[in-house]
Amino acid sequence: MPLTKSIGELLHRRHGSPRRAHARPGPDRFGLDSMLAGGFTAGTLGPEDEARLADEVAQLLPHGADMVTKARETLTTIVDHLGGQRELMAWLDRHPGRPRLIARMYVLMGQLDRYSDEGAVLDALRASRAQDPYPGGLRDYLPPDTTDETLGTVAARIEDLLADGREEEAVRLALATTSWLRHVAESADDPLPVVREMGELMAHVHEDVGEAARRS
């Protein structure tokens, strides 16, 4: 699965990607148990408690923009203990249910941010949208014009849906997006390597997100 191919710092949205401006009450409800976090970093946490901690982390991640300070500090200790944000995603992926689903959604968001300003990808997207401006499941999410913010906008919408607790809708958007981008790559005339790579990665992510969603 493509966690090992994840791109960049997955907890940081791409600079300029749209975000919802107003604060949510969510982070006040979703904290991290400091006792669990302490036991985890000390290496004394049992499997059941580690699974609880992973679920708490998964609930908190979509609130990164407005996370309360204490939760952010606790999360930082967990990330540092694991060795980085890629390792955080791999750790979450080892826990079925919400943690695995959230990890795979963040892999997708990282990839969308990665390809947002790739010229060859943008050309392929524009060519595809000239034939079908709003592919299935994306009419309410794609901006009218295809720019270097288009895929970042979709990533931000996925994260907003997760933060609002609308996981099923977020999954539908993720699967519609990966299906579309895979089709874009497969239907492109003489696609450049970066476009082919995108299509292959999106095929993997589509399978992985779907599998995680079915088991969550």
Side-chain angles (χ1 to χ4, degrees), residues 5-194:
K5 301 178 182 178
S6 60
I7 310 302
E9 296 295 303
L10 297 183
L11 300 186
H12 296 291
R13 308 301 326 132
R14 176 176 175 270
H15 179 69
S17 293
R19 296 191 62 89
R20 191 173 300 181
H22 67 271
R24 300 179 181 85
D28 291 331
R29 300 196 311 272
F30 300 133
L32 294 177
D33 187 314
S34 59
M35 296 290 289
L36 291 179
F40 180 65
T41 57
T44 60
L45 209 60
E48 290 187 6
D49 284 338
E50 183 175 331
R52 283 177 52 206
L53 180 63
D55 192 67
E56 289 183 1
V57 170
Q59 289 187 68
L60 186 65
L61 284 183
H63 298 284
D66 43 18
M67 194 181 297
V68 297
T69 301
K70 181 178 180 181
R72 185 180 297 276
E73 291 173 350
T74 304
L75 178 59
T76 298
T77 65
I78 293 171
V79 175
D80 289 346
H81 173 72
L82 289 167
Q85 294 181 2
R86 291 173 184 262
E87 290 78 9
L88 173 66
M89 294 299 145
W91 174 67
L92 289 174
D93 194 71
R94 292 197 291 270
H95 296 278
R98 191 202 325 263
R100 179 172 294 166
L101 175 61
I102 292 296
R104 296 181 183 190
M105 296 288 265
Y106 268 90
V107 169
L108 170 59
M109 286 185 273
Q111 291 172 349
L112 293 178
D113 285 344
R114 175 198 178 187
Y115 291 112
S116 282
D117 55 4
E118 286 281 357
V121 170
L122 289 173
D123 288 343
L125 295 180
R126 291 187 182 108
S128 176
R129 295 190 74 190
Q131 303 298 318
D132 185 4
Y134 295 99
L138 296 175
R139 176 171 293 276
D140 295 333
Y141 303 102
L142 280 177
D145 298 323
T146 303
T147 71
D148 61 0
E149 292 187 352
T150 297
L151 296 182
T153 296
V154 176
R157 294 298 299 274
I158 292 171
E159 190 171 49
D160 281 341
L161 291 170
L162 292 173
D164 287 341
R166 296 156 66 185
E167 288 185 2
E168 290 185 4
E169 188 173 346
V171 168
R172 287 196 297 271
L173 175 55
L175 295 177
T177 301
T178 52
S179 291
W180 172 49
L181 295 178
R182 180 175 56 184
H183 172 74
V184 167
E186 291 174 348
S187 61
D189 294 330
D190 194 20
L192 291 175
V194 67

